[in-house]
C-alpha cells in the first residue's frame, strides 16, 4: 500500500534548518538548495522506511511537494502574504463584503506583477534544466473566496447570492487559466496540494476544498458544485482534497462530478461512507498529525489498518498519509505510523 508523510514548516526549520521566508518561494536557486537538504534530512531520519534520498539531486521546482502552502491565486487577486521562517505563508484577508466584492477584477496574467514573478522563475528553470516540475498549491474556489471575504462569504450565500456567485465565477476563471498554464509545463501539477497524488493519480487536477467542511451539502451543490464541474470538464482527471473531519456530509455533491478520479479524505471522516458513495475513485485517507503525537503504537496500527480496510475497493484504490506533522511529534511516533503502513497486507 502506498503511504506518505508530509511535514509542517516548523519540522523542516528545526531539523533541516530551512527558512520559509519569501526567498524560499520566490528564488528557485535557494528553493532547490533547500529541497536537496530536505530530502536528505528525510533520508537521515526515515531512510530505512523508504523515505527521502541518500544523495538527492537538484530538481527544477516551481513550488514544492514537501509541504502544502496555498496562496498564489489569492495574491494575484490582491491579498498580501506574510512569510515566516517556521510557518507556511499566511494570506491576509481582504475582508470584502457583499457591497464591495463586485470590485474584484481578474487580471490578465500577462499583466500581473505576481504572475510575472512566476514567469521569471519558470524561464530561469526552463533555461537551466529544459523543463519545470510544477508543485504550486492549486487552492480551491471557496478557499480563495474566503481569503477575499473571510466568513462573510458564508453569510452572503443567503443575503447576496447573485453577488457571491459572480465572485465565484471570477475565481473559477482565474483557476482555469492558472491550471492551463501549469499543465503547459508539466502533466504532474498537484503535488503542492498533497504529495501522495504524485504516486497514485499523478495527472489529476486536485482542488483544495478545505473550507467546504464549513457548509452544507445543499450550499455546496447550489453554489460550488458547478465550479468544481467546470474544473473537472476542463482538465479531465479531477480530484478533491477535503481535509475536514466529515467529508461524508458533502460526498453526495462530490459524487455528481464527472471525471472525479481521486479524493483525499480528511482525518476522522467516515471513510467507509465516502467509499460507498465514490466507487472507483482512488481515496487517500488522512491520519491526524495531532492524534499521531499521543497515540500508542497499538492504537496507530489499528487505526491505520481501519483506514486502509474501510477505504479500499477490492484490495485497491486506497493510500494513507499523515500531513502537517510538526516539530513537536517525535521520530518514534512517526516510525509507528510508517511501520503500520508498511505492514498493511492485501492492498495495492
Amino acid at each position: 500500500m502506498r503511504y506518505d508523510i508530509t511535514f509542517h514548516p516548523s519540522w523542516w526549520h528545526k531539523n533541516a534548518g530551512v527558512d520559509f521566508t519569501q526567498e524560499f518561494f520566490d528564488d528557485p536557486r535557494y528553493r532547490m538548495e533547500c529541497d536537496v537538504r530536505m530530502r536528505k534530512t528525510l533520508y537521515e531520519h526515515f531512510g530505512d522506511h523508504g523515505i527521502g534520498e541518500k544523495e538527492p539531486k537538484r530538481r527544477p521546482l516551481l513550488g514544492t511537494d514537501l509541504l502544502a502552502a496555498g496562496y498564489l491565486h489569492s495574491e494575484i487577486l490582491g491579498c498580501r502574504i506574510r512569510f515566516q521562517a517556521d510557518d507556511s505563508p499566511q494570506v491576509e484577508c481582504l475582508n470584502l463584503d457583499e457591497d464591495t466584492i463586485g470590485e474584484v477584477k481578474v487580471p490578465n496574467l500577462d499583466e500581473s506583477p505576481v504572475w510575472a514573478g512566476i514567469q521569471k522563475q519558470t524561464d530561469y528553470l526552463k533555461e537551466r534544466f529544459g523543463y519545470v516540475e510544477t508543485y504550486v498549491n492549486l487552492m480551491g474556489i471557496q478557499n480563495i473566496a474566503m481569503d477575499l471575504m473571510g466568513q462573510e462569504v458564508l453569510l452572503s450565500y443567503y443575503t447576496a447570492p447573485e453577488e457571491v456567485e459572480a465572485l465565484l465565477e471570477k475565481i473559477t476563471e482565474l483557476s482555469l487559466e492558472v491550471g492551463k498554464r501549469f499543465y503547459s509545463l508539466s502533466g504532474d501539477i498537484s503535488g503542492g496540494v498533497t504529495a501522495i497524488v504524485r504516486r497514485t493519480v499523478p495527472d489529476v487536477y486536485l482542488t483544495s476544498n478545505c473550507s467546504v467542511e464549513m457548509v452544507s451539502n445543499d450550499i455546496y451543490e447550489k453554489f460550488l458544485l458547478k465550479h468544481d464541474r467546470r474544473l473537472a470538464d476542463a482538465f479531465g482527471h479531477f480530484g478533491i482534497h477535503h481535509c475536514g473531519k466529515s467529508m461524508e456530509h458533502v460526498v453526495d455533491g462530490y459524487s455528481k462530478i464527472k471525471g472525479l478520479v481521486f479524493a483525499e479524505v480528511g482525518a476522522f471522516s467516515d471513510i467507509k461512507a465516502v467509499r460507498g458513495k465514490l466507487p472507483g475513485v482512488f481515496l487517500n485517507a488522512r491520519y491526524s498529525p495531532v492524534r499521531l503525537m499521543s497515540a500508542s503504537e497499538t492504537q496507530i496500527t489499528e487505526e491505520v489498518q481501519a483506514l486502509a480496510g474501510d477505504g479500499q475497493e477490492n484490495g485497491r484504490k486506497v493510500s494513507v498519509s499523515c500531513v502537517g506533522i510538526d516539530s513537536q511529534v517525535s521520530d518514534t511516533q512517526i516510525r509507528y505510523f510508517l511501520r503500520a503502513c508498511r505492514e498493511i497486507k492485501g492492498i495495492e
Side-chain angles (χ1 to χ4, degrees):
M1 186 191 70
R2 294 168 190 146
Y3 56 91
D4 189 42
I5 50 175
T6 302
F7 292 95
H8 185 271
S10 65
W11 190 93
W12 292 116
H13 184 70
K14 175 182 177 181
N15 292 284
V18 174
D19 288 343
F20 295 95
T21 56
Q22 190 167 355
E23 183 182 17
F24 180 91
F25 297 94
D26 289 357
D27 185 343
R29 286 156 294 199
Y30 176 68
R31 184 170 57 251
M32 287 188 290
E33 173 190 322
C34 293
D35 178 63
V36 168
R37 197 186 319 161
M38 291 161 78
R39 286 180 286 142
K40 187 172 183 179
T41 299
L42 285 177
Y43 183 84
E44 291 168 351
H45 284 255
F46 310 110
D48 57 329
H49 285 274
I51 304 295
E53 298 172 44
K54 185 177 182 179
E55 297 180 353
K57 308 298 183 183
R58 290 201 302 170
R59 302 187 293 168
L61 294 175
L62 190 64
T64 176
D65 57 348
L66 295 179
L67 69 143
Y71 66 88
L72 175 63
H73 300 66
S74 299
E75 186 180 20
I76 290 172
L77 292 173
C79 294
R80 293 182 59 185
I81 312 299
R82 287 185 286 109
F83 296 91
Q84 301 177 67
D86 62 350
D87 202 357
S88 295
Q90 302 297 308
V91 178
E92 294 186 3
C93 182
L94 290 180
N95 291 313
L96 302 177
D97 59 27
E98 59 193 47
D99 296 322
T100 56
I101 55 176
E103 301 171 9
V104 172
K105 305 295 183 185
V106 178
N108 180 334
L109 290 185
D110 293 328
E111 299 174 357
S112 164
V114 175
W115 188 261
I118 295 294
Q119 191 61 53
K120 181 179 180 181
Q121 293 188 56
T122 300
D123 293 343
Y124 170 82
L125 293 169
K126 288 184 73 173
E127 180 179 353
R128 192 72 182 272
F129 295 89
Y131 68 101
V132 181
E133 296 185 27
T134 305
Y135 307 130
V136 175
N137 191 299
L138 300 173
M139 305 190 69
I141 304 305
Q142 184 174 263
N143 285 10
I144 300 168
M146 293 195 75
D147 283 345
L148 301 177
M149 297 184 68
Q151 65 183 9
E152 287 297 314
V153 70
L154 305 178
L155 300 175
S156 295
Y157 288 136
Y158 300 95
T159 61
E162 293 182 2
E163 289 82 355
V164 77
E165 175 56 35
L167 176 66
L168 298 176
E169 288 280 356
K170 294 176 183 178
I171 292 170
T172 303
E173 290 297 331
L174 174 62
S175 299
L176 287 166
E177 181 62 24
V178 170
K180 289 173 184 176
R181 293 190 178 210
F182 284 157
Y183 269 125
S184 72
L185 300 172
S186 172
D188 169 9
I189 70 169
S190 294
V193 181
T194 186
I196 194 70
V197 75
R198 300 193 59 226
R199 295 163 50 220
T200 54
V201 190
D203 61 347
V204 73
Y205 179 98
L206 184 60
T207 195
S208 295
N209 279 0
C210 315
S211 63
V212 173
E213 180 75 6
M214 304 169 70
V215 302
S216 68
N217 189 71
D218 287 344
I219 289 293
Y220 174 78
E221 291 198 19
K222 182 175 181 181
F223 289 97
L224 299 167
L225 174 59
K226 67 185 76 174
H227 302 293
D228 281 349
R229 278 175 164 169
R230 284 192 67 193
L231 294 173
D233 290 345
F235 299 119
H237 286 187
F238 186 67
I240 290 171
H241 157 87
H242 185 109
C243 55
K245 295 182 178 181
S246 61
M247 181 174 170
E248 64 273 8
H249 90 279
V250 287
V251 73
D252 281 340
Y254 290 160
S255 70
K256 297 177 181 180
I257 300 173
K258 182 180 178 181
L260 183 67
V261 296
F262 177 93
E264 187 155 62
V265 186
F268 306 113
S269 293
D270 185 342
I271 192 169
K272 184 177 288 187
V274 172
R275 166 52 72 205
K277 294 286 187 175
L278 300 180
V281 174
F282 196 104
L283 301 183
N284 182 55
R286 286 279 196 100
Y287 189 84
S288 167
V290 177
R291 175 66 175 163
L292 181 63
M293 185 183 300
S294 59
S296 69
E297 181 175 13
T298 298
Q299 290 171 324
I300 293 170
T301 299
E302 291 175 349
E303 289 161 5
V304 167
Q305 288 176 341
L307 288 175
D310 290 346
Q312 62 83 28
E313 182 177 83
N314 299 321
R316 305 183 67 184
K317 293 188 178 293
V318 68
S319 57
V320 179
S321 64
C322 188
V323 177
I325 302 169
D326 67 21
S327 58
Q328 302 303 309
V329 182
S330 70
D331 280 10
T332 297
Q333 294 298 113
I334 296 168
R335 285 176 173 278
Y336 291 159
F337 173 78
L338 293 173
R339 189 176 301 121
C341 292
R342 293 184 73 177
E343 291 175 353
I344 296 295
K345 306 296 183 183
I347 293 178
E348 297 182 19

